[in-house]
Amino acid sequence: MLTDWLVRTFVANPEDHSNARTRSAFGALEGWASVVVNLVVFAVKLVPGLIIGSVSLIADAFHSLGDVASSLVVILGFRVAAKPSDDRHPFGHGRVESVASLLIAVMLFITAWEFGRASVDRLLHPKAVQASAWLIAVLVLTALLKEWLSRFSRTLGRRIGSTALIGDFWHHRSDVIATGIVIVALLGANAGLWWVDGVGGLVVSAIIAWAAWQLLRDSVNPLIGEAPSPQVLSEMRGVALSVAGVDGVHDLIVHRYGELVVTSVHVEVSAAIDIERGHEIAE
């Protein structure tokens, strides 16, 4: 499988997902693969889009270029997140992954807004667009290439539990959907339905905005301190209560800094034991 070969070739110790350097290597692999693929896809879409004057195709091309920018943010984010802790950041830089995801979401929103405006203008001022069979075929091939890239990003993101890589997956997947809509719009334009191009641009913009919202939600929650899952709390209680002398557990707190998880818990012990013994049990 191509994904496994790429991981083995470019990532040292790929099974050590909690290691900052390993995570940085995964991020760099996904990021540079995305940069290369999206630069090719951008050029393939932009040139014919300018030639035939299709606003939906040009919007889709710049959507792909936006993927390049987001991938560079991913690379930089993982590189910073891999830095060790210091005096100003005693728990490391793991949350930079979420900051990178937030930046990607903002770029997506800007892209959606700009091309939404262009699509409305095309609806108000229709323009004849003609697409050849070879252009449709090329767009189908770019969609297949981006579908592979989206699955590649999702696979790596799931392996290391990264919202940034999952965010890049949504970025790529939205591009696949957008390209499909562009193909339909161009076929409609070939049939004389000039308004389809503007509608297709609006739909593409809506898809980009939706992907941005999903990513924004997933990146902001860790930054503002989302609650741990019931499963995590249950496991914490079970571990604490398994210690001899612990009679009860309360006030469980979890702070996540990337892969570093800092927890605290209050335990109850018998009032019949001395303070020193109670402290030993708590430790």
Side-chain angles (χ1 to χ4, degrees), residues 23-58:
R23 295 179 65 80
S24 180
F26 269 96
L29 172 60
E30 191 277 342
W32 287 117
S34 298
V35 168
V36 172
V37 171
N38 281 304
L39 283 176
V40 172
V41 172
F42 167 69
V44 169
K45 291 178 180 178
L46 180 64
V47 173
L50 293 173
I51 292 174
I52 67 175
S54 169
V55 67
S56 60
L57 183 53
I58 294 173

Side-chain angles (χ1 to χ4, degrees), residues 52-56 119 122-131 185-200:
I52 67 175
S54 169
V55 67
S56 60
S119 300
R122 176 53 56 89
L123 285 173
L124 297 176
H125 307 92
K127 179 181 177 181
V129 175
Q130 288 290 332
L186 292 177
L187 290 174
N190 284 348
L193 304 174
W194 312 124
W195 55 269
V196 175
D197 186 40
V199 172

